[in-house]
Amino acid sequence: MLSGNRRLNLADLFRDEIRVSGKRTKIVPKTFRQKSYIEEIKNHNVVFGVGPAGTGKTYLAMAMAVTALLNKEVKRIVLCRPAVEAGEKLGFLPGDMAEKVNPYLRPLYDALHDMVDFDRAKEMVEKGVVEVAPLAFMRGRTLSNAFVILDEAQNTTPVQMKMLLTRIGFGSTCVITGDITQIDLPRGTQSGLSHALKLLKDVKGISIVHFTDEDVVRHPLVSRIIQAYDREES
């Protein structure tokens, strides 16, 4: 980061932290774009976090959501994803509706369990304080006093994206995360995320944060893999 901009102040970065009650380790942004993302979530009702895997888009949004809930700034957390298969046909899954969609929602559960202990997370889900559901379940609802996270938004259609954005009620924050380079929709179907980014870029009250491979905080090899794919596509 410093090699790219000598005027950066690392102290400013590491002083900004998210304190999740009951979590021993503090969550600190690892890049200045992550820090900006946190600030945008604090100051806007709708935030788009767009970029490659491993940049902390969903994880930081979840940390902000849990903190807002524990601080009684919102009454519930709503986590949703479109139930789209990632390039492979899974066939007819066994079980009831909840069991069928659970594999699609697993990453959201994993992030939640990293913020609060397993028993407390289970209790939150059972009481409905934390709701994890496929995007299709949001139709016809008004989400007031809630922190809403839509993950894998690149796999929504424009109609689905509009449907979610128009669910937002008073006292709510909505964070939409996705990677427009990993769209799993059928060929010829427009991504709701790509459409929304063009349509809403100048709308007051909406913030868009674009992450790059420089923000990847997984194994260093992940960043190099992303760069290689970007070169091939361009």
Side-chain angles (χ1 to χ4, degrees):
M1 286 185 289
L2 287 174
S3 66
N5 186 347
R6 291 288 181 180
R7 292 176 293 178
L8 294 178
N9 187 342
L10 290 182
D12 289 342
L13 176 66
F14 294 112
R15 283 196 195 102
D16 199 351
E17 59 189 30
I18 306 172
R19 293 183 177 272
V20 180
S21 178
K23 185 176 175 64
R24 292 179 183 176
T25 57
K26 293 170 288 191
I27 298 173
V28 179
K30 299 294 193 300
T31 71
F32 281 93
R33 203 168 280 109
Q34 287 188 354
K35 175 182 168 64
S36 174
Y37 182 53
I38 292 171
E39 293 301 320
E40 296 302 298
I41 293 174
K42 290 177 182 177
N43 298 318
H44 292 81
N45 293 110
V46 176
V47 177
F48 287 85
V50 186
T55 51
K57 305 181 299 292
T58 304
Y59 191 84
L60 291 173
M62 182 71 78
M64 295 294 288
V66 172
T67 300
L69 179 66
L70 297 179
N71 290 341
K72 299 187 177 357
E73 296 168 13
V74 296
K75 292 183 178 178
R76 58 183 169 149
I77 298 174
V78 179
L79 312 171
C80 56
R81 292 182 103 196
V84 176
E85 295 165 347
E88 53 186 318
K89 297 298 181 183
L90 302 180
F92 292 98
L93 296 172
D96 58 21
M97 180 61 73
E99 292 170 326
K100 288 179 188 295
V101 301
N102 191 61
Y104 297 103
L105 305 173
R106 188 74 256 165
L108 294 175
Y109 282 111
D110 291 343
L112 176 63
H113 292 153
D114 204 36
M115 304 295 166
V116 295
D117 65 72
F118 183 84
D119 291 336
R120 189 171 188 186
K122 184 179 179 182
E123 181 184 0
M124 286 177 168
V125 172
E126 289 175 348
K127 289 184 176 180
V129 176
V130 174
E131 180 181 353
V132 186
L135 178 59
F137 286 17
M138 296 297 110
R139 185 171 295 280
R141 300 177 57 186
T142 299
L143 303 172
S144 300
N145 299 309
F147 198 114
V148 183
I149 299 176
L150 171 60
D151 193 30
E152 299 292 335
Q154 74 275 7
N155 290 329
T156 63
T157 64
V159 172
Q160 288 175 319
M161 179 64 76
K162 179 183 177 183
M163 181 267 291
L164 178 80
L165 290 171
T166 53
R167 301 304 97 203
I168 301 168
F170 291 105
S172 290
T173 296
C174 181
V175 180
I176 297 151
T177 68
D179 178 1
I180 55 176
T181 68
Q182 295 191 15
I183 298 173
D184 299 313
L185 293 168
R187 187 179 297 274
T189 303
Q190 185 180 19
S191 167
L193 178 60
S194 299
H195 178 258
L197 293 175
K198 296 174 186 175
L199 189 68
L200 305 175
K201 62 182 180 180
D202 297 321
V203 175
K204 186 178 180 180
I206 294 178
S207 174
I208 300 174
V209 179
H210 289 277
F211 293 90
T212 70
D213 58 272
E214 294 176 353
D215 300 298
V216 174
V217 291
R218 291 179 181 170
H219 192 287
L221 186 57
V222 174
S223 183
R224 295 197 291 273
I225 290 171
I226 292 169
Q227 291 171 1
Y229 273 94
D230 286 345
R231 284 194 298 270
E232 193 271 340
E233 288 170 3
S234 62

